[in-house]
Amino acid sequence: MAVLVLGGAGYIGSHTVDRLVEKGDEVVVVDSLVTGHRAAVNDNAKFYQGDIADKTFMRKVFAENPAIDAVIHFAAFSLVAESMKKPLKYFDNNTAGMISLLEVMNEVGVKRIVFSSTAATYGIPETMPIKETDPQKPINPYGESKLAMEKIMHWTDLANGIKFVALRYFNVAGAKPDGSIGEDHNPETHLLPIVLQVAAGTREKLQIFGDDYNTPDGTNVRDYVHPFDLADAHILAVNYLRDGNESNAFNLGSSTGFSNMEILKAAREVTGKPIPAVTAPRRGGDPDTLIAASDKARKVLGWKPEFDDIHKIIETAWKWHQTHPNGYADR
Ligand code: UFG
């Protein structure tokens, strides 16, 4: 048995490949390297560079690796703000990419897929914490492209028997504790890496987007989860499908919310740096608060997140930032 990891050179994909290899699994990685980094991929995984929408290429990957019995799919674009400006880029790469992939999986008879979905499929939540059964009404093309992928999978399960697990992540932060792999986006738009770039001196100051939200300190509240714990959830989800279970969807978060100001304060404590910050206007499309109800993943998959402390999460990210101020260019 082997796992095919699509987008295995990206932030969460590379941590998952690493965990799979550590557990002794056979791992095949496909990544276009448009946003991923070859250096992020564990040396013990077999690597192919290519696009998942290229059916000839994907047929070759499956043909050369007949042990593949499950796919983990991370190969998508994920920036909310960019998706508002370039919706077709998201529907093409994310949604059309999924259609093409499912066609090839159906042809070659691989019938299990674990896929990165997102809290962005819920839109503006009506109640908190957010449960998997809550309404999914995305407020941006990114969330819509992922919701469409979930729906497509539902119908291909019924028609073609391709079983899926959709994992709806909340905010991902942190790096491998030994500092060898971490977060490297260009451009960087996420809160914690930007805070740590300011701490490391490679960025002048943090802009906090909005301080008049309906939250205790007026800044957005988010639920942070470490990529190691996400990786473990993917591995549990593959085993859940291998055990013959039905398709399902799970939230992955810590069930605890931190405001942007609380993240800044915790980062100042961890790094010992002043981290200058200013208040800036709201960024479009940010809901006040996003906190996951993630008891379903704990109960059904047996998921036990290890990183339940925001200071521990920030410490791992800080180690990566200090040793790789220019990301993978420093490896
Ligand atoms: N923020 C700032 N300043 C910055 C960057 C971010 O104040 O320089 C704020 C944002 O406005 C938001 C919070 O920090 O309030 C978190 O923003 P991120 O960009 O780090 O993350 P998002 O919540 O926008 O999105 C992330 C993923 C999405 C996913 C979502 C789910 O990028 O793919 O979490 O909660 F859908």
Side-chain angles (χ1 to χ4, degrees):
M1 290 191 299
V3 183
L4 174 61
V5 182
L6 308 175
Y11 173 39
I12 305 159
S14 59
H15 284 82
T16 303
V17 169
D18 204 65
R19 289 294 259 187
L20 281 163
V21 168
E22 267 178 15
K23 287 178 196 282
D25 277 295
E26 191 182 332
V27 186
V28 180
V29 172
V30 164
D31 200 297
S32 65
L33 299 183
V34 170
T35 56
H37 305 276
R38 181 67 184 89
V41 182
N42 187 297
D43 289 338
N44 293 313
K46 189 168 173 183
F47 183 80
Y48 289 86
Q49 183 174 354
D51 188 333
I52 64 157
D54 178 346
K55 288 194 206 172
T56 309
F57 162 69
M58 289 302 292
R59 283 187 192 107
K60 176 173 172 279
V61 172
F62 282 108
E64 288 181 4
N65 300 280
I68 292 169
D69 70 316
V71 174
I72 306 182
H73 178 21
F74 298 99
F77 293 138
S78 63
L79 297 179
V80 169
E82 183 189 55
S83 79
M84 297 291 280
K85 295 193 185 102
K86 298 179 181 170
L88 298 180
K89 177 175 172 180
Y90 279 70
F91 290 112
D92 183 29
N93 187 62
N94 297 1
T95 316
M98 173 63 104
I99 294 171
S100 174
L101 169 68
L102 289 170
E103 280 169 353
V104 176
M105 284 178 64
N106 196 36
E107 253 174 61
V108 299
V110 173
K111 303 271 182 173
R112 298 181 191 102
I113 177 166
V114 174
F115 137 77
S116 318
S117 187
T118 170
T121 59
Y122 293 111
I124 308 274
E126 286 160 20
T127 52
M128 206 63 63
I130 305 169
K131 295 186 295 300
E132 286 84 352
T133 46
D134 285 351
Q136 287 179 288
K137 295 182 196 159
I139 57 164
N140 51 63
Y142 166 60
E144 194 78 73
S145 74
K146 290 266 171 159
L147 180 58
M149 290 160 78
E150 288 196 12
K151 290 186 172 170
I152 289 165
M153 285 199 306
H154 165 73
W155 295 110
T156 47
D157 175 5
L158 292 188
N160 309 103
I162 298 181
K163 300 290 170 196
F164 70 91
V165 170
L167 297 176
R168 299 179 189 145
Y169 317 155
F170 282 64
N171 287 55
V172 191
K176 187 171 178 180
D178 72 0
S180 61
I181 50 174
E183 191 166 8
D184 178 0
H185 298 119
N186 187 16
E188 187 53 78
T189 61
H190 295 106
L191 179 65
L192 186 61
I194 288 177
V195 166
L196 296 180
Q197 284 171 351
V198 178
T202 54
R203 192 185 282 257
E204 192 197 339
K205 60 177 185 275
L206 170 72
Q207 291 188 297
I208 296 189
F209 299 137
D211 63 355
D212 56 353
Y213 285 97
N214 186 22
T215 60
D217 66 17
T219 64
N220 287 149
V221 172
R222 295 287 179 269
D223 177 339
Y224 290 86
V225 57
H226 192 277
F228 252 45
D229 289 328
L230 284 189
D232 285 348
H234 287 79
I235 296 168
L236 290 166
V238 167
N239 291 335
Y240 167 92
L241 292 177
R242 281 177 173 158
D243 288 343
N245 290 297
E246 283 306 313
S247 297
N248 218 329
F250 299 95
N251 286 343
L252 296 179
S254 67
S255 307
T256 311
F258 292 93
S259 74
N260 297 340
M261 282 305 292
E262 286 171 326
I263 294 293
L264 175 60
K265 180 171 174 285
R268 284 174 173 154
E269 285 160 7
V270 168
T271 63
K273 306 280 182 188
I275 313 182
V278 294
T279 303
R282 287 182 177 207
R283 195 178 67 170
D286 281 335
D288 292 333
T289 300
L290 290 173
I291 301 173
S294 59
D295 37 309
K296 183 179 169 190
R298 290 163 208 254
K299 207 164 126 197
V300 178
L301 296 177
W303 186 50
K304 290 193 197 80
E306 201 184 306
F307 289 87
D308 54 0
D309 173 349
I310 195 67
H311 287 83
K312 276 204 283 179
I313 291 180
I314 295 174
E315 269 166 31
T316 63
W318 182 227
K319 183 157 185 176
W320 161 255
H321 276 275
Q322 282 178 298
T323 49
H324 301 81
N326 303 301
Y328 285 101
D330 290 327
R331 275 195 80 172

